[in-house]
Amino acid sequence: MKMSLKNRFLLLFVLLICLVLIFPIGVMIISSFNSQDGSWGLMNYQELFTNHYYRNAIGHSLTLSLSASLFSEVIAILGAWSLTKMSSSVKESLVTIFNLASSFAGVPLAFSLIILLGNSGVLHVISKSLDINILGSINVYSWLGIVIAYSFFEIPLGILFLYPTFEEIDQGWKEASDTLGVSNCFFLKKVIYPVLVPGLVETLIILFANAMGTYETVFALTGNNITFISTIIGSLIGGEITSNIPLAGALSVVFGLVMIALVIMGNLLVRTKRITEGK
Amino acid sequence: MKVKKRTPKIILTIIFIYLLLPIVATFLYSISTSWINTVLPEGLTFKWYAQLVFNPEFLNVVLRSLVLSIFTTILGLVIFVPVIFYMNIYNQKLKAKMRYITMLPFIIPGIILVTGLIQLYKDIPIPKIVILVMVLSVMSLPLVYQTLNNVFISKDFKSMFEQSQLLGYGPVKSFMFVIVPNIKTGLIVSTLLLFSAGLGDYVITNLFLGGNYITLKIYMYRLMAVNGNAGSVLTIIYFIMLSILSAILIRTTSKAKKG
């Protein structure tokens, strides 16, 4: 009875994972080799890599995700470092706020950004009535606008991921190396660098992957008008005239492979770092 | 020392203001009568709130979101808690293999998963909402797994479980009355994570159900286009809901760390 009960739960768990993760991904991979008229082959992949429209979208996704994640990472580094200097009660409330901000992504974020920065948004109205240009050339629906939009959830996310790494750096280390007569440069290179770099790389990869996977925020801001991998998949499966699910499958497979490559790369980087550290 | 503390404070204040700016603007917009040509709103009012809250459609939307979140939470807790417990206590090998599976939802974004789901379930006569609940609970598996895993390695649950059975409780009773009270914090955090997953999803719910099941976020998206005032009210209400969830989450985890 004891065994069977355990097994029953395990079976349910495995079944659940298969039904909503393994099987759908499997079906998607298989059908990505299928064309809409029923023949089999690599035509969807061929289409993706020869058609400029899709190649551009892949390029857009990569460059935008890179800009957004780098921008957010830089600010998150400053934020995480500053956070370690605060008293523990301030830390706690700030962590709550960052946690909240990182989950306030998607439709609500897009909507509040339109209210803040949009064509008839609050800042626009204020600058019009004061007759000065607060906004400059920021346009929420543009490239820069999307980088800004992503930064609203990527900065807090980055801070939350980086903060433990910065907490590890002990004030005592600096004092110890000063006592030992170590130069600042050596201290940075041999003490701070090995602790910090794995954390920084890991966080950058997480932010990049997060930006790549973002669909909701861009879609709510711009509709399917800006061509990213995610928005194209959205319009290919959205039941519109352009609907082509096998092609969306192929694009998803390419996308998934990029994500897996990223995660593996991140793991390898962090691991080699840790191994050399261990020596 | 004082100067050293000032820079971090300034940095954090700037980040804080930056992050809150859209919410503040949305809040002001939601309580203004009209705000077209002036520096500040022409007048303040709560009529948009009353209008939205007393709209029967709004009540339906909230109910739908709650139903989705509650079922997602129940399913997630009922399946994940015993399985993660079992893997930690009795089957470390399986646990090592499971690590990769539990990371999958982290690597596979919703927009990709939904492509596969649509294909797999388009001709299968299972209500799509049932599948959706399953999907949403699995999507929060990485965080739930991590939370519960940390809880189960913190104490010797194996001997606790076995001693309880030696003293005469069956495995189910031992689990419910001995293990569960000892993992309260982990359970609360998991509950919140699962609940937020149900409340916060837009992509899968919208694309998989074809927009037929209107939840808070889908309603918000529709309001965006037609009624800015109502939309801003809904955004604020959603923000408050998230704040409450987030506050309980942090409160629970920090309390656990201290005591």
Side-chain angles (χ1 to χ4, degrees):
Chain A
M1 180 63 206
K2 198 170 115 192
M3 264 319 282
S4 78
L5 190 69
K6 275 177 204 165
N7 285 342
R8 236 179 279 163
F9 272 109
L10 268 183
L11 192 72
L12 272 178
F13 180 71
V14 172
L15 194 69
L16 181 67
I17 298 288
C18 285
L19 283 177
V20 303
L21 271 181
I22 313 290
F23 294 165
I25 294 173
V27 167
M28 186 182 79
I29 294 173
I30 294 168
S31 73
S32 72
F33 296 103
N34 193 354
S35 82
Q36 272 186 315
D37 57 39
S39 54
W40 294 87
L42 285 171
M43 52 282 187
N44 289 320
Y45 291 93
Q46 215 167 22
E47 170 87 3
L48 288 184
F49 290 107
T50 50
N51 190 329
H52 277 290
Y53 179 67
Y54 298 110
R55 261 173 43 195
N56 283 342
I58 295 174
H60 283 168
S61 276
L62 292 172
T63 43
L64 185 108
S65 304
L66 193 65
S67 354
S69 53
L70 277 175
F71 173 68
S72 305
E73 169 116 345
V74 170
I75 298 181
I77 290 172
L78 291 174
W81 171 77
S82 308
L83 195 58
T84 58
K85 308 282 176 210
M86 297 291 121
S87 66
S88 62
S89 62
V90 176
K91 262 180 211 168
E92 197 179 294
S93 24
L94 280 174
V95 167
T96 313
I97 288 165
F98 292 139
N99 181 50
L100 171 64
S102 68
S103 57
F104 192 69
V107 175
L109 174 68
F111 191 34
S112 9
L113 282 176
I114 291 171
I115 289 181
L116 182 69
L117 301 166
N119 289 334
S120 50
V122 168
L123 283 185
H124 208 84
V125 168
I126 294 177
S127 58
K128 211 165 62 186
S129 58
L130 288 176
D131 224 16
I132 45 168
N133 196 349
I134 311 174
L135 278 174
S137 53
I138 294 175
N139 173 355
V140 252
Y141 313 101
S142 69
W143 191 270
L144 181 63
I146 293 173
V147 172
I148 291 177
Y150 281 24
S151 75
F152 278 95
F153 52 87
E154 295 228 298
I155 291 173
L157 199 65
I159 294 178
L160 291 175
F161 275 106
L162 284 172
Y163 163 66
T165 313
F166 278 91
E167 281 277 274
E168 262 180 57
I169 298 172
D170 194 326
Q171 276 300 312
W173 297 355
K174 178 69 183 143
E175 281 159 30
S177 52
D178 280 345
T179 323
L180 291 169
V182 168
S183 73
N184 263 336
C185 180
F186 188 84
F187 176 70
L188 278 178
K189 201 173 140 201
K190 289 289 177 187
V191 182
I192 299 295
Y193 180 79
V195 178
L196 217 49
V197 169
L200 293 183
V201 173
E202 216 174 7
T203 307
L204 186 64
I205 287 175
I206 290 169
L207 293 184
F208 182 81
N210 183 279
M212 287 282 289
T214 299
Y215 164 75
E216 194 186 331
T217 310
V218 206
F219 174 69
L221 265 181
T222 67
N224 281 332
N225 292 327
I226 286 198
T227 50
F228 290 130
I229 302 180
S230 56
T231 56
I232 289 185
I233 296 175
S235 64
L236 284 175
I237 59 178
E240 291 158 34
I241 317 156
T242 51
S243 158
N244 182 345
I245 293 185
L247 189 61
L251 199 51
S252 297
V253 170
V254 173
F255 195 165
L257 289 176
V258 172
M259 301 290 266
I260 289 169
L262 271 173
V263 172
I264 292 174
M265 201 174 76
N267 272 339
L268 283 179
L269 276 174
V270 173
R271 200 169 300 156
T272 32
K273 220 53 231 181
R274 294 221 168 108
I275 289 167
T276 46
E277 225 178 288
K279 278 178 190 168
Chain B
M1 207 55 206
K2 247 190 174 170
V3 184
K4 260 191 184 163
K5 252 209 146 156
R6 209 182 317 156
T7 329
K9 255 186 198 158
I10 295 171
I11 294 174
L12 284 175
T13 314
I14 294 172
I15 294 177
F16 181 73
I17 292 173
Y18 177 76
L19 292 178
L20 280 177
L21 217 51
I23 286 296
V24 174
T26 308
F27 177 66
L28 285 178
Y29 192 81
S30 76
I31 55 166
S32 59
T33 46
S34 137
W35 194 357
I36 297 164
N37 281 317
T38 44
V39 179
L40 288 172
E42 278 163 31
L44 299 179
T45 173
F46 276 101
K47 75 172 175 198
W48 311 119
Y49 281 81
Q51 216 173 64
L52 183 76
V53 171
F54 294 120
N55 183 345
E57 179 61 19
F58 171 75
L59 199 71
N60 280 330
V61 167
V62 173
L63 275 179
R64 269 186 226 116
S65 274
L66 281 181
V67 166
L68 200 58
S69 303
I70 290 170
F71 278 105
T72 302
T73 312
I74 294 174
L75 181 75
L77 287 178
V78 166
I79 294 189
F80 300 158
V81 178
V83 168
I84 297 172
F85 171 75
Y86 168 73
M87 286 194 303
N88 264 287
I89 307 299
Y90 289 105
N91 205 333
Q92 293 284 339
K93 254 190 214 160
L94 189 68
K95 187 185 155 191
K97 280 179 201 149
M98 264 321 164
R99 245 206 68 191
Y100 295 100
I101 302 249
T102 60
M103 285 301 290
L104 262 183
F106 227 56
I107 303 168
I108 310 292
I111 184 74
I112 289 189
L113 191 59
V114 80
T115 314
L117 288 168
I118 289 177
Q119 272 167 300
L120 180 59
Y121 292 105
K122 64 176 182 231
D123 298 324
I124 298 178
I126 307 172
K128 287 210 167 72
I129 185 101
V130 175
I131 306 289
L132 181 67
V133 167
M134 289 160 61
V135 176
L136 292 180
S137 59
V138 170
M139 287 308 268
S140 45
L141 180 60
L143 290 172
V144 172
Y145 176 79
Q146 214 170 20
T147 309
L148 291 175
N149 208 23
N150 288 341
V151 172
F152 285 131
I153 52 182
S154 69
K155 276 186 201 163
D156 188 2
F157 283 99
K158 189 174 180 178
S159 39
M160 206 187 278
F161 191 56
E162 280 168 358
Q163 272 161 22
S164 152
Q165 287 182 58
L166 279 179
L167 293 172
Y169 267 170
V172 178
K173 262 190 162 178
S174 301
F175 185 77
M176 293 307 288
F177 298 118
V178 179
I179 303 298
V180 166
N182 276 293
I183 54 168
K184 250 188 221 152
T185 311
L187 287 180
I188 295 173
V189 174
S190 308
T191 304
L192 291 170
L193 289 170
L194 283 158
F195 192 85
S196 319
L199 195 68
D201 179 70
Y202 169 80
V203 179
I204 300 177
T205 310
N206 190 32
L207 288 171
F208 186 50
L209 299 188
N212 293 326
Y213 190 80
I214 302 171
T215 56
L216 270 174
K217 271 193 164 176
I218 297 174
Y219 190 51
M220 202 185 293
Y221 181 74
R222 296 194 175 171
L223 280 182
M224 246 168 95
V226 292
N227 186 344
N229 298 94
S232 62
V233 170
L234 189 57
T235 308
I236 294 298
I237 292 177
Y238 181 75
F239 181 75
I240 293 170
M241 287 175 161
L242 278 186
S243 312
I244 295 170
L245 287 175
S246 181
I248 305 175
L249 188 76
I250 301 290
R251 197 65 52 83
T252 320
T253 44
S254 73
K255 226 190 241 167
K257 262 181 219 154
K258 277 172 200 155

